[in-house]
Amino acid sequence: MRIEATRIGIIYKPKTLVVEYKKSGYSDKRFHKKITFQNYYYENTQTLSDSYPFLASIPSSLLDNMMNKLFSEVQDLNKVPNNDLRHAKEVMNRVFMQNRLTLGDPKYQYDKRINHEPESDSSWD
């Protein structure tokens, strides 16, 4: 049986991805699936597609865009449960480790100095 997503939408409270899809063998019948996220962060769209096979028919760029919109609002990590806080810190550490420059990296520059020009008047400072 082939499953093809036809429309996708998001609900912000609670964080939910709504997918309308159709199955082969059902002529004009459409199905809806609501995926509600308990966590404040999601891993990536590949693991999401692995868990929900009907999402494979949605282009990954569109799914990434929808998930970024859904999770774009800034969360107050002081108010989240410990499991979500631990997960958020793991994600932040992973991103930091991917972006850091070490002594052997070609873009590494020792004692880098940058002059910053203020965008607005800061005479009160």
Side-chain angles (χ1 to χ4, degrees):
M1 174 176 12
R2 187 168 162 251
I3 299 173
E4 180 183 349
T6 55
R7 291 194 297 177
I8 185 171
I10 54 178
I11 301 172
Y12 287 101
K13 298 220 187 269
K15 293 187 182 307
T16 305
L17 186 68
V18 182
V19 183
E20 180 185 87
Y21 61 96
K22 59 183 177 180
K23 297 179 184 179
S24 61
Y26 294 89
S27 59
D28 292 332
K29 191 168 183 179
R30 303 209 181 234
F31 301 89
H32 288 86
K33 176 69 177 174
K34 289 185 177 182
I35 306 167
T36 302
F37 297 94
Q38 301 299 326
N39 294 332
Y40 289 87
Y41 297 92
Y42 72 101
E43 283 295 319
N44 60 33
T45 54
Q46 182 59 45
T47 55
L48 193 61
S49 295
D50 291 345
S51 300
Y52 301 97
F54 55 86
L55 293 177
S57 63
I58 299 173
S60 60
S61 59
L62 175 62
L63 193 55
D64 277 335
N65 189 18
M66 295 298 276
M67 295 302 291
N68 287 334
K69 283 182 182 179
L70 186 60
F71 286 92
S72 65
E73 64 185 70
V74 177
Q75 297 294 326
D76 185 357
L77 295 178
N78 291 316
K79 297 179 181 178
V80 299
N82 286 338
N83 289 340
D84 292 338
L85 178 63
R86 188 173 20 260
H87 183 68
K89 286 183 176 183
E90 288 172 5
V91 170
M92 287 187 277
N93 284 336
R94 218 175 305 137
V95 170
F96 172 77
M97 296 303 278
Q98 289 173 351
N99 294 328
R100 74 178 182 159
L101 295 176
T102 57
L103 189 59
D105 292 330
K107 292 184 180 180
Y108 177 80
Q109 181 182 355
Y110 179 76
D111 196 20
K112 185 175 184 177
R113 295 173 189 244
I114 300 173
N115 289 328
H116 296 281
E117 298 296 326
E119 293 178 7
S120 61
D121 182 33
S122 60
S123 58
W124 62 270
D125 196 8

